[in-house]
Amino acid sequence: MDAIDRRLLAELQRDARTSLNELSRRINLSAPAVATRVRRLEHSGVITGYHAHVDPAAAGRGVVALVRMNCYGPGCLLRRDADTVREWPEVLQVHRVTGDACCLLMVAVATMADFQVLIDRLAEHGKPSSTMVLSSPVAWRPVEPPDASV
């Protein structure tokens, strides 16, 4: 990845809807050259998709929490039902982690009653422990690949 690729990534993370023509103007490359570089970044797995950033509260899911699961062994959430959990709309992220937990989930639901139902569902897989999110001063940040020349 060179400096041009890093500039492309910065522009696409700023606004993924930017046209290839506009990107080529900003990067000072031809549109075909930009298209080739973007395709290469997609095929190599650097760019994994394009999406809109959605505020959970504005979308009707104002109760956001981080849930640590202690569920090692055959009943583990990630071993037994990972595909099922991926389809639960309340689960925004799942991370396998080190330490005293097996995995960490970020969840968003509409109400505390919905949160209780989700915790009960998760409890079938192990011991959930939750932390409510009060605010997110840094909810998302663009990834800046390190400069290889440094």
Side-chain angles (χ1 to χ4, degrees):
M1 183 174 311
D2 63 13
I4 294 172
D5 289 339
R6 286 192 294 282
R7 287 177 56 202
L8 276 171
L9 289 175
E11 291 293 337
L12 287 170
Q13 288 181 93
R14 192 171 298 116
D15 183 0
R17 293 172 32 166
T18 304
S19 71
L20 290 176
N21 285 333
E22 178 62 18
L23 282 172
S24 70
R25 187 187 66 71
R26 291 181 190 176
I27 304 297
N28 200 25
L29 278 180
S30 70
V34 167
T36 298
R37 283 177 174 267
V38 169
R39 271 194 305 277
R40 184 174 38 84
L41 291 166
E42 291 168 346
H43 291 305
S44 67
V46 174
I47 296 175
T48 60
Y50 301 88
H51 63 276
H53 294 281
V54 177
D55 178 343
R61 294 181 180 272
V63 177
V64 178
L66 301 173
V67 179
R68 291 172 305 285
M69 290 294 297
N70 291 318
C71 57
Y72 295 100
C76 175
L77 180 70
L78 294 179
R79 292 176 76 192
R80 191 173 86 182
D81 282 327
D83 289 336
T84 301
V85 171
R86 280 187 196 99
E87 298 192 11
W88 292 356
E90 306 90 344
V91 177
L92 303 180
Q93 298 177 1
V94 179
H95 304 277
R96 187 170 181 199
V97 298
T98 62
D100 61 351
C102 173
C103 57
L104 179 68
L105 295 80
M106 177 180 275
V107 301
V109 294
T111 66
M112 287 303 290
D114 295 330
F115 184 67
Q116 182 175 340
V117 169
L118 177 61
I119 289 295
D120 290 345
R121 202 168 8 149
L122 288 169
E124 296 172 13
H125 301 278
K127 182 180 173 190
S129 174
S130 62
T131 302
M132 304 309 292
V133 174
L134 299 176
S135 67
S136 300
V138 181
W140 179 85
R141 167 172 279 143
V143 174
E144 296 180 18
D147 185 351
S149 65
V150 176

